[in-house]
Amino acid sequence: MFDLVLKNAKLVDVSGEVSIAIEDGKIAEISKTCPEGDKEIDIEGQYVLPGLIDPHVHFRDPGLTYKEDFKSGSMAAAHGGFTFVMDMPNTKPATNTYKSFKEKMEIAKKKSCINFGLHAGHNTLSEMEKIASLNPMSFKVFMDLESDESLDEIFKNVAKIDGNPLMTLHGENRKIVQEETNRLKDSDDPIDYSYARPAEAEIVSVKQAISLSKKYGNNLHICHLSTREAMNLALSNAVTFEFTPHHLLFDNSAFNKFGTIVKTNPPLRQAKDKIFISDIDENSIIGTDHAPHSLDEKNKGAFSSASGIPALETVLPLLLSEVNKGNIALDLIPKIFSENAAKRFNLKGKGFIKKGFDADLTVVDLSKEGVFDIDEFYTKAEYSPFDGFEYKGIATKTIVGGKLVMDDGEVFTS
């Protein structure tokens, strides 16, 4: 008798239906027969995916919790089918000291209804060595905020830390961004924000990061990669990266429809420079860059409005819709949402549906149709460019460690 048995489930890589037995929070058995469980859930022929993993969220906790906190953010994640998220360090205080990192860990443990990891900010070598003992997901570098001299020092220091930890990068060149922003800053046309942070800023930054990593031997991962040329640079140098849904699905003409609601960094790109759904392959990683703000902060004009788009509750249905349209193969979904992130960020026991692995699972109904309604979301953000969009395919259940935390849109926190 198992703790939980999921009956009549489909797996992407297995023909027919299976049962998944769960014991002590682990996958205990996957079989064509139906073992008995203390609790049984009939999946009714829906697909079960390895629990979704988002390597890039901003939960704003501590210090900016009016935008989001670990409770609302983790509930939004569970609602969207995610079982593991990795939070970025630009909170208040920034998560770039041993003390602040440990304090954020405690906050997240108390509030989060799903699994989590934390990225760390960079600091002195001695401080980063102390943070490294707490197993950060990476050391994050916002290259658009750093001079060439400081970047050289940061790359050199991170490479000195035992184990050569992963560096995640916001790849935009500070000098180019400053020059183009100064040129356009008096404009109040939202689309001009995309020209103030042009494609060249990302391309130059990625080239610089690759050069520094070759100099010091760093282990690199590029966040929210948005241009075809930077993607090709990364691919040719065996550097991993992640795509956001907004950079895949929109170009900068979306500013003309949505205004500053679609303002984000890096910005939406011109069609000639951008990445597309067709660029997704078996090695791709999806990172939402879920970045909520207050609605007031999003409506202060082209250059004064806050940058960021909430995405945890829309990304899976958006890409399942692309599956239903024939633009993505279904077997890519577990790779881009789970397997590849688990491997890249060294998440042991996660990312796959295998015996002995954690029972973190996402059930999806590929045929369920609907319309996004921001009022039904769990995020504190009151906006989304995808509000009102139609979708086909959505997460119907989220299971974390064998525990049902979301069922048909309702999230349970205890």
Side-chain angles (χ1 to χ4, degrees), residues 109-176:
K109 284 177 184 176
K110 291 175 182 176
K111 293 184 178 183
S112 185
C113 66
I114 64 169
N115 298 313
F116 67 89
L118 304 179
H119 295 283
H122 62 83
N123 206 316
T124 62
L125 175 57
S126 61
E127 192 66 36
M128 288 192 294
E129 286 175 333
K130 287 190 283 186
I131 296 171
S133 70
L134 298 173
N135 299 312
M137 294 290 96
S138 78
F139 286 95
K140 173 73 179 288
V141 180
F142 295 84
M143 294 181 71
D144 57 330
L145 304 179
E146 303 292 340
S147 66
D148 289 348
E149 295 76 19
S150 61
L151 284 171
D152 191 280
E153 184 74 9
I154 294 163
F155 275 67
K156 179 173 66 175
N157 282 342
V158 173
K160 290 179 179 178
I161 300 169
D162 284 348
N164 192 15
L166 186 64
M167 291 181 71
T168 47
L169 305 175
H170 178 119
E172 291 185 281
N173 178 269
R174 184 175 78 160
K175 183 179 179 183
I176 293 173

Side-chain angles (χ1 to χ4, degrees), residues 370-387:
V371 177
F372 290 125
D373 181 352
I374 194 71
D375 292 333
E376 296 176 357
F377 289 1
Y378 284 85
T379 178
K380 290 185 181 182
E382 297 177 319
Y383 65 95
S384 168
F386 299 108
D387 188 25

Side-chain angles (χ1 to χ4, degrees), residues 217-234:
N218 302 94
N219 183 13
L220 296 187
H221 177 80
I222 301 167
C223 299
H224 42 53
L225 188 141
S226 63
T227 63
R228 176 68 61 84
E229 188 170 340
M231 179 186 72
N232 289 334
L233 277 168

Side-chain angles (χ1 to χ4, degrees), residues 40 54 65 67 71 96 118 134 152 189-190 198 211 220 236 273 313 318 327 345 362 381 405 409:
E40 297 178 0
D54 191 342
T65 54
K67 301 174 190 269
K71 181 178 180 181
N96 65 346
L118 304 179
L134 298 173
D152 191 280
D189 186 344
S211 177
L220 296 187
S236 62
D273 297 317
E313 294 167 271
L318 288 169
N327 296 331
F345 290 89
T362 303
V405 297

